[in-house]
Amino acid sequence: MTRCRAALLALLTMVALSPAASPAASPAVAAHADEGPEQIVNGTFDAGTAPWWGTPDLTLAVDEGRLCADVPGGTANPWDVIIGQDGIPLVAGETYAYRFAASATPAKVGRALIQLPVDPWTQYLSAAPELSVSGDDYSYTFTAPVSLPNAQVVFQLGGSAEPWRFCMDDVSLKGGAEPEEYEPDTGPRVRVNMVGYLPAGPKKATVVTTATTALEWELKDAGKKTVARGRTTPRGVDASSGENVHTLDFSAHRKPGKGYTVTADGETSRPFDIAAGLYDELPVDALRFYYTQRSGIEILDTLRPGYGRPAGHAGVAPNQGDVDVPCQPGVCDYTLNVKGGWYDAGDHGKYVVNGGISVHQLMSAYERNKAAFTDGQLAIPESGNGVPDVLDEARWEQEFLLSMQVPDGEPYAGMAHHKIHDQNWTGLPLLPHQDPQPRELHPPSTAATLNLAATAAQAARLFAPYDAAFAARNIEAAHRAWAAAKANPERYADPADGVGGGAYNDADVSDEFYWAAAELFITTGEKEFETFVLGSPHHTGDVWRDRGFDWGNTAQLGRLELATVPNTIPDRGRVRRSVIEGADKYLAVQKAHPYGLPYNPPDFDWGSNNLVLNNLVVVATAYDLTGREKYRAAVREGMDYLLGRNALNQSYVTGYGEVASKNQHSHWYARQLDPALPNLPRGTLAGGPNSAIQDPVAQRLLQGCKPQFCYIDDIESWATNELTINWNAPLAWVGAFLADGGGRSGCRVRYSGHGSWPGGFIAQVVIENTGRQSVDGWSLRWSWLGGQRVKEGWGVKLAQSGSVVTATGLGWNDRIKPGRSVTFGFAGTGGAGPDPAPEVFHLNGERCS
């Protein structure tokens, strides 16, 4: 099954992975040219079944000239049932044509592999033919990367709940074939955001053309009426796609409407809308993804029609469950109940370091604009409990992270186990509740421990208004984890620990130390953490990587938190300026890129789409800090790439756009392999172009690809088309930014304290109308850091929900003329930690200076 990011990076020298690492599916293709001698012995079965062999659960027989076998049901993995032939010679650099005829009763998806016959079972060809009852002919080509005297041809037939019958004939493997040429269908040469554009935002498209001089373009409405026209700007050859391109800009057209198209160079784009509410559903869909990723709980079909399934890894056979999980041999002599949390990606593993950044970004999206997230918004089992759904969803993962902490009295107490997953790899498809593999806790790591410290510190302040006991539990765990990490600063995850799950190894945890210290300082205000933050090289260094931040590069999270969450770090002004400098860096990259990308390394990384989004998080934060329109416009333009304005002319978000990813690598969203299973939920982000193309399908079809073309929407391409919890997290964050509009109103707010005492304080607020229009009736909204509460007010009506406070004018002061102000005050009670003044105020829904 999937090899997660870190594990695969250690295997770049391999052509593919073991049979446990997902055989790859692809369309059948024709072989060509003058072919060499036949490599398969008795491929027509005229001489019986020898030298073909089967696993012990099969009886091979010739039936009407075909080899047939009754395949038993109830197996978990494709490789549990195999028919094969050994001793197949391969020559390095030779291109082979592989053909066979096959049928299945009832219809099934099989696995056809040519591979190394011993561990690590490296696959040189991996295909997933759809086998029909009537039978079909299949044809594939591949180029052998090595010379081998004894390759193995196998058909993997396991993984079916019910028994079925497999037959095959005319199996042939010959050299001398023409190399396969894969040409993606990129549609019209005018590339747009297929979802659409905001009326007041930038509206740009990219045109692929051989022309080197400006071209005429036309914008047409749904009735084919031309509503705008202009000339393109030639941009030359784009290195990320290898294409000669122009850009065109129709930003001046602001009229809302559906079904717009752009025509240039004789090509017409796919349709798109112009609408103010274009992104309203995106953050909700991106967050709803997490419910169906949950482990340890039944997924209710009433909440997610078509996605219901039994609880996975809850200790119900055939699961061995996550309720009493032992360590790997030699790691510990205790067991832990680590039920719950989110499955990391398309597999059944759960990883603290990837869970850490994911749950942080969900909580960060909430912390940025708490009023945008409500109870009942996500339709999850906890909806209606009085807590914003995004916090309920985050808590599901945070509870799991807490459960991974080493108990008191044990070696490395307070540290966090790095991960928990199956003892061995499993194949696709395999629903979580059907996984029979033993589960294991892996050794504690400093990186995991610091992720726990950071997220627990953040959770402590966010849950304080809703569940004081849970908040206290988190801050206690954060302190324990911090102390344990300081005592064990160099316990790194083993890069070789990649069997059954990804290694997620990281040999530099100085960035995790910085992030954890920042979160602990913000929540507690304690001097130890302030001192650590100020002494870290990450505090003043340039952390804004061209390739963006991710689970292994987390200093940026600390910097962003210190810049945006109220705190008293002494050099906070410099911290904020550094975020703006980072945003300007990404703006320069975006301006130079003809597809409007704020990410442009010479080779695209695994999960490049997530890195694009994280760069947009930095740019969006600069907008929050400055209110400068150029940053908001850059975020809007950056989203265009993910929704269709790219070289492949497709959206990478399931359900968004006319042509969108739908076959992301997953064990249970596996409709491509089993029609009874669903495709991905709407709002799921595909990993995106990855120049390293580590999986067999990508290696077979994408050799020599330019960065933007290193992607294929195939369930077996786990290197380019995986889903993960840490990729949907920035999608939700940026989606929320785009949905809230982020407009600035003509107002300024001054907040000042007039005295405090243990447990209480008095504050005064002045609202100044800096606009040209009178404010007739006002409502001012802000939020506290943690558990503070407003009490008695004067000159105002006060209400509070969680940490969000709403102040409304009274009859005699609810009008503010231009250039005038209104003043009110109140008394409040403090939370458990610092009581910094709020910094973000919204007047009648729009943000003030």
Side-chain angles (χ1 to χ4, degrees), residues 386-725:
V387 179
D389 282 358
V390 66
L391 288 186
D392 284 323
E393 194 59 70
R395 181 169 181 163
W396 189 262
E397 176 71 3
Q398 188 60 30
E399 291 272 16
F400 161 71
L401 299 182
L402 292 169
S403 74
M404 292 287 279
Q405 195 162 28
V406 177
D408 287 338
E410 300 290 348
Y412 306 110
M415 296 193 78
H417 286 276
H418 196 70
K419 56 180 182 170
I420 178 259
H421 56 63
D422 290 343
Q423 191 177 81
N424 294 293
W425 291 106
T426 56
L428 280 71
L430 183 66
L431 271 69
H433 70 282
Q434 296 171 339
D435 177 17
Q437 279 285 324
R439 308 277 276 178
E440 293 179 331
L441 292 166
H442 292 247
S445 73
T446 308
T449 304
L450 291 166
N451 270 261
L452 174 59
T455 61
Q458 184 182 21
R461 62 179 182 263
L462 294 181
F463 282 92
Y466 300 103
D467 188 335
F470 184 61
R473 182 178 156 212
N474 272 278
I475 198 61
E476 189 273 337
H479 277 103
R480 287 180 61 227
W482 175 261
K486 285 180 64 181
N488 301 276
E490 296 181 350
R491 283 194 61 83
Y492 304 129
D494 182 357
D497 186 13
V499 176
Y504 280 102
N505 52 296
D506 183 359
D508 179 2
V509 296
S510 60
D511 50 332
E512 283 84 1
F513 267 110
Y514 176 69
W515 172 35
E519 296 286 8
L520 278 158
F521 172 69
I522 292 169
T523 300
T524 70
E526 293 173 13
K527 188 67 175 179
E528 175 188 358
F529 305 117
E530 176 186 307
T531 301
F532 192 96
V533 165
L534 295 175
S536 170
H538 295 292
H539 189 57
T540 54
D542 181 7
V543 297
W544 311 116
R545 303 166 69 237
D546 292 339
R547 298 176 183 272
F549 62 84
D550 57 13
W551 65 267
N553 298 274
T554 59
Q556 298 86 342
L557 304 180
R559 186 80 63 89
L560 291 168
E561 291 286 274
L562 290 168
T564 57
V565 182
N567 67 89
T568 57
I569 204 73
D571 60 345
R572 190 147 180 254
R574 184 204 58 76
V575 170
R576 289 184 158 198
R577 289 191 297 274
S578 78
V579 174
I580 298 165
E581 291 167 0
D584 287 338
K585 176 179 180 178
Y586 298 137
L587 255 65
V589 174
Q590 182 183 59
K591 184 177 180 181
H593 202 290
Y595 280 94
L597 261 173
Y599 165 91
N600 193 30
D603 58 302
F604 279 23
D605 299 271
W606 194 316
S608 61
N609 287 342
N610 138 82
L611 301 173
V612 170
L613 284 166
N614 282 333
N615 284 354
L616 292 178
V617 168
V618 179
V619 176
T621 302
Y623 175 75
D624 286 345
L625 295 175
T626 67
R628 295 174 191 162
E629 183 58 31
K630 67 176 183 179
Y631 298 119
R632 181 168 62 162
V635 178
R636 292 172 171 179
E637 183 176 356
M639 182 58 74
D640 293 346
Y641 167 82
L642 296 174
L643 297 178
R645 187 188 167 200
N646 53 59
L648 288 169
N649 198 10
Q650 70 144 86
S651 166
Y652 289 109
V653 182
T654 302
Y656 280 77
E658 184 178 279
V659 178
S661 298
K662 63 180 181 180
N663 293 313
Q664 288 99 313
H665 178 86
S666 169
H667 274 56
W668 55 100
Y669 311 121
R671 188 174 184 83
Q672 187 178 354
L673 299 178
D674 184 347
L677 296 175
N679 282 124
L680 280 294
R682 175 177 163 88
T684 304
L685 181 69
N690 171 13
S691 297
I693 57 171
Q694 291 98 330
D695 64 76
V697 119
Q699 290 172 341
R700 184 162 61 87
L701 300 179
L702 303 178
Q703 288 295 333
C705 56
K706 293 293 185 180
Q708 280 203 60
F709 283 102
C710 296
Y711 171 84
I712 184 168
D713 184 25
D714 191 293
I715 194 170
E716 303 286 7
S717 184
W718 32 261
T720 77
N721 200 37
E722 196 170 13
L723 64 96
T724 74
I725 55 175

Side-chain angles (χ1 to χ4, degrees), residues 788-810:
Q788 297 87 344
R789 304 289 303 181
V790 295
K791 291 295 184 182
E792 181 182 3
W794 44 94
V796 69
K797 180 182 178 180
L798 296 168
Q800 184 169 349
S801 175
S803 61
V804 180
V805 181
T806 303
T808 54
L810 305 177

Side-chain angles (χ1 to χ4, degrees), residues 125-161:
L125 170 71
S126 178
E130 297 181 15
L131 307 174
S132 67
V133 174
S134 59
D136 291 293
D137 295 326
Y138 302 89
S139 179
Y140 304 89
T141 63
F142 74 99
T143 300
V146 295
S147 292
L148 197 68
N150 62 335
Q152 186 180 70
V153 171
V154 296
F155 293 87
Q156 294 182 348
L157 308 173
S160 174

Side-chain angles (χ1 to χ4, degrees), residues 73 75 230 291 303 632 763 767 798 830:
T75 56
Y291 174 54
L303 297 179
R632 181 168 62 162
I767 309 172
L798 296 168

